[in-house]
Amino acid sequence: MIIQDVIDHLETLAPLNYAEDFDNVGLLVGQKTTKLKGILVTLDTTEPVIDEAIEKKCNLVVSFHPIIFKGLKKLNGSTYVERVVIKAIKHDIAIYSMHTALDNAFHGVNDMIFKQLGLTNKRILIPQNDTIKKLSTYVPIEEVSHVREALFLAGAGHIGNYKNCSFNVEGYGTFCGNEESNPTKGNKGETHTERETKLTVIFPKHLESKILNTLFETHSYEEVAYEIITLDNNNQQIGMGIVGELHSPLDEMDFLNYLKKTMKSDCIKHSMLLGKPINKVAILGGSGSFAIQAAKQAGADVFITSDLKYHDFFTAENQILLADIGHYESEQFTKNLLVAHLTKKITNFAVVLSNTNTNPVKYF
């Protein structure tokens, strides 16, 4: 097994196509073709984490946060980032980061908080735009079932809780091949009319190459007529944050105590109590001040996130309870998610959960 095989497994959970534009995700250090020895999973890649990888004979570190975020102009060890990269290269250790690709995944960072709190009725808080595409193609009637099923197997035709979704319209297509053509229907140099089905399916954008390859492999025509457009529809499976509900409403202070205990937070900063029960909960792990308005629009009673500044708390405006549980605390269960995912996919290599606490924030 090589490092690329691990990357393929990780991208089934969180395709990098859905990372935010500002982010730096993927294989940051190392080569995809390197033979795998072992995998160490961590939230952050620090020097102690690299030391742990060396000790445990792991040559791939799977990290949530990217160690290289801004451009590196030199590598002389003057910063912790440079020292980590130098040590990783010196010991042939690759570093792979997922970050906002996993933030936007339906079963990613925020889903872990959702599960820890025992919430129900999950939905995306801020669906990501331009993630759904529509393919329309034209297939001879006797072949359409074969092509349609192949596209479904490739990942097309999923809408929310439904699969194998398509739209089919019968009609007639015409074409005339030139002398260089090799038509599978009709003869070159003659206009041919073929009874066809216009087949339409949707698919997530990260599968476009796979969908097109499947179409070309299963369609009999020498030249396949098709069109792909990007839809404005909200994606129910991709986006920032999650909204859920408690099984039973809780008093605000009871909820905050439950939240502090469940998320192992030493300190929760919160906005003014509103004197109303907590039922609907909005979640966004990491820095989430940009989603306060979305949480309010979703009708959430509380918004759980981190890195809120002084003036962010004013934006609650007596409409919602804001709870800042800490950046590390909001993402701490992410590495458990990655270990569980990789352990299911890879059984013949060690997948090690790092025991290095990388939280840089301490409380007195």
Side-chain angles (χ1 to χ4, degrees), residues 22 64-65 99-100 103 109-110 240 284-292 303-309 312 324 326-328 330-331:
F22 64 80
F64 175 64
H65 291 126
H99 205 207
T100 57
D103 279 325
V109 176
N110 299 297
M240 283 283 182
L284 204 158
S287 302
S289 61
F290 65 91
I292 293 174
F303 178 43
I304 302 166
T305 188
S306 70
D307 298 343
L308 296 182
K309 297 179 180 179
D312 291 329
D324 183 334
H327 197 119
Y328 176 88
S330 71
E331 297 172 339

Side-chain angles (χ1 to χ4, degrees), residues 139-194:
V139 190
I141 282 182
E142 68 273 14
E143 300 175 14
V144 69
S145 293
H146 173 60
V147 174
R148 184 170 53 231
E149 289 302 317
L151 291 172
F152 289 160
L153 287 173
H158 287 262
I159 303 175
N161 294 323
Y162 295 84
K163 65 178 182 178
N164 297 353
C165 304
S166 69
F167 190 74
N168 306 266
V169 181
E170 293 186 8
Y172 293 90
T174 64
F175 49 84
C176 177
N178 61 25
E179 288 303 313
E180 301 300 321
S181 67
N182 185 28
T184 56
K185 302 285 186 178
N187 301 307
K188 65 177 66 177
E190 298 177 3
T191 298
H192 177 76
T193 300
E194 183 69 26

Side-chain angles (χ1 to χ4, degrees), residues 344-359:
K344 289 180 182 178
K345 300 290 184 179
I346 303 170
T347 58
N348 56 338
F349 281 91
V351 181
V352 180
L353 178 67
S354 173
N355 56 24
T356 302
N357 186 334
T358 61
N359 189 2

Side-chain angles (χ1 to χ4, degrees), residues 239-289:
M240 283 283 182
I242 280 176
V243 179
E245 297 176 7
L246 293 167
H247 287 283
S248 300
L250 288 175
D251 171 81
E252 288 170 307
M253 285 307 302
D254 289 339
F255 177 79
L256 287 175
N257 282 319
Y258 171 64
L259 177 64
K260 183 176 181 179
K261 180 180 178 181
T262 304
M263 298 305 296
K264 303 175 183 178
S265 178
D266 290 330
C267 174
I268 293 181
K269 296 190 297 181
H270 63 85
S271 59
M272 183 175 66
L273 299 180
L274 302 177
K276 64 179 184 179
I278 301 297
N279 182 41
K280 184 176 286 189
V281 180
I283 299 162
L284 204 158
S287 302
S289 61

Side-chain angles (χ1 to χ4, degrees), residues 85-273:
V85 173
I86 290 171
K87 181 172 285 191
I89 293 173
K90 184 181 294 185
H91 292 275
D92 295 321
I93 295 173
I95 302 173
Y96 181 89
S97 170
M98 306 181 75
H99 205 207
T100 57
L102 197 57
D103 279 325
N104 279 310
F106 195 64
H107 298 290
V109 176
N110 299 297
D111 184 53
M112 292 301 288
I113 305 175
F114 179 90
K115 290 176 179 176
Q116 289 293 319
L117 294 177
L119 303 180
T120 61
N121 300 326
K122 180 174 70 170
R123 66 181 178 86
I124 294 293
L125 177 61
I126 307 176
Q128 192 177 95
N129 295 326
D130 303 328
T131 61
I132 304 175
K133 296 199 172 190
K134 182 172 75 173
L135 166 71
S136 296
T137 188
Y138 307 84
V139 190
I141 282 182
E142 68 273 14
E143 300 175 14
V144 69
S145 293
H146 173 60
V147 174
R148 184 170 53 231
E149 289 302 317
L151 291 172
F152 289 160
L153 287 173
H158 287 262
I159 303 175
N161 294 323
Y162 295 84
K163 65 178 182 178
N164 297 353
C165 304
S166 69
F167 190 74
N168 306 266
V169 181
E170 293 186 8
Y172 293 90
T174 64
F175 49 84
C176 177
N178 61 25
E179 288 303 313
E180 301 300 321
S181 67
N182 185 28
T184 56
K185 302 285 186 178
N187 301 307
K188 65 177 66 177
E190 298 177 3
T191 298
H192 177 76
T193 300
E194 183 69 26
R195 193 177 174 197
E196 296 176 334
T197 297
K198 179 182 179 181
L199 170 62
T200 301
V201 291
I202 65 169
F203 61 90
K205 69 177 183 179
H206 73 278
L207 292 179
E208 182 167 340
S209 295
K210 185 178 181 181
I211 295 296
L212 285 178
N213 287 336
T214 300
L215 174 63
F216 300 148
E217 289 171 0
T218 55
H219 202 299
S220 67
Y221 285 178
E222 182 180 30
E223 297 289 349
V224 180
Y226 71 94
E227 60 181 346
I228 291 178
I229 62 173
T230 301
L231 302 179
D232 290 333
N233 304 47
N234 282 343
N235 193 326
Q236 302 172 49
Q237 301 290 318
I238 299 292
M240 283 283 182
I242 280 176
V243 179
E245 297 176 7
L246 293 167
H247 287 283
S248 300
L250 288 175
D251 171 81
E252 288 170 307
M253 285 307 302
D254 289 339
F255 177 79
L256 287 175
N257 282 319
Y258 171 64
L259 177 64
K260 183 176 181 179
K261 180 180 178 181
T262 304
M263 298 305 296
K264 303 175 183 178
S265 178
D266 290 330
C267 174
I268 293 181
K269 296 190 297 181
H270 63 85
S271 59
M272 183 175 66
L273 299 180

Side-chain angles (χ1 to χ4, degrees), residues 54-67:
I54 296 168
E55 178 189 350
K56 295 177 178 177
K57 296 180 172 56
C58 296
N59 67 335
L60 172 62
V61 172
V62 175
S63 175
F64 175 64
H65 291 126
I67 183 61

Side-chain angles (χ1 to χ4, degrees), residues 40-55:
L40 182 70
V41 179
T42 182
L43 193 65
D44 306 279
T45 308
T46 60
E47 287 187 81
V49 168
I50 297 297
D51 291 334
E52 186 180 1
I54 296 168
E55 178 189 350

